[in-house]
Amino acid sequence: MDARNFTYMFYGFTAAWLIVMLYVISLARRGARLKKELEDVKHLVKGERSTPEDLLPNRMR
Amino acid sequence: MRERLSIVLAAIAALLLANNLHAMFLTLPDEAMQGAIYRILFFHAPAAMVGMIGYFVALTLSIMYLSFGDFKYDSLAASVIEVSLVFSLVNIVTGSIWARIIWGIWWTWDYRLTSALVCVLIFSGYIMLRRAIDEPTQRARLSSALCIFGCVDVVIVWKSIEWFRNQHPGPVLDFRTGGGRMDPAMSHVFYMNFLALLLVATALVLIRTRQESTAREIDSLRRVAHAA
């Protein structure tokens, strides 16, 4: 019982940090995507690129 | 400025967490009835409290958006709810692992557990709703309304252990019972870990809010490009 008790405590701590870490990774990836999208749209507004495709948000491409 | 503040908060949280983990494993003894597994409580309940505080902050921000119509309140509410949802998930998963040892089952449909699951489902719906609507005013208005509705369930989650007979344990924290249900040394580590998780959540909200303002900037630039 004691070994199982300790193992499940370890699972609990691991699960808690895994969920938070996965969210942090998703935040970092989203941040990088938004940064790139912002650069693209800034270029577009300056008239450097102007295909209709560029006007669509990433999720619609 | 916001980025620097989030780094400072994360660093303080990391130091606090290191100190708390040391206390949990090397200072505090096993609980008499539950053994080592009771230490999950130090993450399970603070995660729930951080989530609930977040939902009520989002409720205030949603009401402010509906009153003043400023999109910054809506963006902040969305950021707070997303981070709160992560902590609610931590709460449910760690609780389920604790229950497997203490109750012998992963899950039971009692009032506390069911209302907590409904809460996660409602606020997952909030995030899906925001992704489904492109028009900013409609998105902000509907998601604010859903947040207000969702917070009714948060009250039920909070009070369910007082209102109903549950398999879930009743209140043990000092500020709900008046004291005497938890050893002061354990109580100290509990509140310090709550503080650490609250700092982690605040740092994440700051990062997420910055992303929301970048997304708003992209939307307005795109409108400029469309108009040109």
Side-chain angles (χ1 to χ4, degrees), chain B residues 15 35 72 95 151 176 193 219:
Chain B
L15 288 174
K72 81 173 177 212
C151 282
R176 292 186 81 169
N193 221 39
D219 274 347

Side-chain angles (χ1 to χ4, degrees), chain A residues 48-60:
Chain A
E48 291 178 15
R49 276 166 34 193
S50 58
T51 61
E53 177 84 347
D54 293 329
L55 293 171
L56 293 172
N58 270 352
R59 62 180 177 275
M60 292 171 73

Side-chain angles (χ1 to χ4, degrees), chain A:
Chain A
M1 171 67 185
D2 270 352
R4 197 160 157 260
N5 196 317
F6 199 84
T7 307
Y8 273 72
M9 181 196 70
F10 174 75
Y11 290 159
F13 276 59
T14 308
W17 287 111
L18 196 65
I19 292 168
V20 175
M21 286 317 293
L22 286 175
Y23 180 64
V24 170
I25 291 166
S26 85
L27 265 187
R29 290 183 63 179
R30 197 185 315 176
R33 183 177 55 77
L34 281 171
K35 202 173 168 185
K36 188 183 172 303
E37 207 172 330
L38 182 66
E39 289 304 314
D40 286 351
V41 179
K42 274 181 179 168
H43 282 285
L44 184 72
V45 171
K46 284 178 190 164
E48 291 178 15
R49 276 166 34 193
S50 58
T51 61
E53 177 84 347
D54 293 329
L55 293 171
L56 293 172
N58 270 352
R59 62 180 177 275
M60 292 171 73
R61 281 179 202 167

Side-chain angles (χ1 to χ4, degrees), chain B residues 25-46:
Chain B
F25 288 103
L26 299 174
T27 311
L28 292 177
D30 285 355
E31 209 263 349
M33 305 293 286
Q34 299 184 21
I37 194 93
Y38 91 97
R39 289 182 178 87
I40 282 184
L41 169 83
F42 296 123
F43 284 93
H44 169 71

Side-chain angles (χ1 to χ4, degrees), chain B:
Chain B
M1 173 63 188
R2 203 182 281 172
E3 200 168 333
R4 196 173 294 171
L5 183 60
S6 60
I7 291 169
V8 170
L9 288 177
I12 297 171
L15 288 174
L16 263 177
L17 281 165
N19 183 54
N20 295 342
L21 284 169
H22 176 269
M24 275 176 222
F25 288 103
L26 299 174
T27 311
L28 292 177
D30 285 355
E31 209 263 349
M33 305 293 286
Q34 299 184 21
I37 194 93
Y38 91 97
R39 289 182 178 87
I40 282 184
L41 169 83
F42 296 123
F43 284 93
H44 169 71
M49 287 161 66
V50 168
M52 284 184 196
I53 288 170
Y55 295 132
F56 283 114
V57 170
L59 170 71
T60 311
L61 290 163
S62 296
I63 292 170
M64 283 168 80
Y65 169 75
L66 291 174
S67 308
F68 305 114
D70 190 334
F71 281 107
K72 81 173 177 212
Y73 298 127
D74 172 62
S75 299
L76 199 50
S79 309
V80 172
I81 284 180
E82 197 178 286
V83 173
S84 299
L85 193 57
V86 171
F87 283 89
S88 293
L89 268 178
V90 168
N91 168 252
I92 286 184
V93 172
T94 52
S96 186
I97 292 168
W98 175 86
R100 182 69 186 89
I101 290 293
I102 300 300
W103 298 340
I105 47 172
W106 292 101
W107 185 264
T108 181
W109 296 101
D110 84 344
Y111 295 98
R112 177 39 100 68
L113 275 68
T114 308
S115 57
L117 181 65
V118 168
C119 181
V120 166
L121 294 176
I122 289 173
F123 287 105
S124 302
Y126 175 98
I127 287 167
M128 283 189 259
L129 178 79
R130 290 187 71 84
R131 290 195 180 167
I133 303 172
D134 274 332
E135 206 284 304
T137 311
Q138 193 185 20
R139 177 176 59 207
R141 216 175 37 234
L142 288 176
S143 50
S144 297
L146 183 57
C147 175
I148 294 168
F149 169 74
C151 282
V152 175
D153 184 61
V154 179
V155 176
I156 297 171
V157 178
W158 179 251
K159 298 298 280 182
S160 60
I161 49 173
E162 293 168 11
W163 289 344
F164 310 110
R165 283 172 65 89
N166 279 295
Q167 183 148 353
H168 188 282
V172 290
L173 299 173
D174 300 350
F175 70 93
R176 292 186 81 169
T177 61
R181 301 285 301 273
M182 194 190 241
D183 184 89
M186 289 178 183
S187 194
H188 175 74
V189 176
F190 179 92
Y191 287 116
M192 291 307 280
N193 221 39
F194 163 67
L195 180 64
L197 293 192
L198 195 61
L199 290 175
V200 171
T202 311
L204 291 174
V205 167
L206 287 173
I207 295 167
R208 186 68 189 87
T209 311
R210 189 155 165 263
Q211 291 183 354
E212 279 285 323
S213 51
T214 309
R216 276 212 314 277
E217 192 181 344
I218 291 169
D219 274 347
S220 58
L221 281 171
R222 206 168 261 134
R223 261 184 238 111
V224 170
H226 270 293

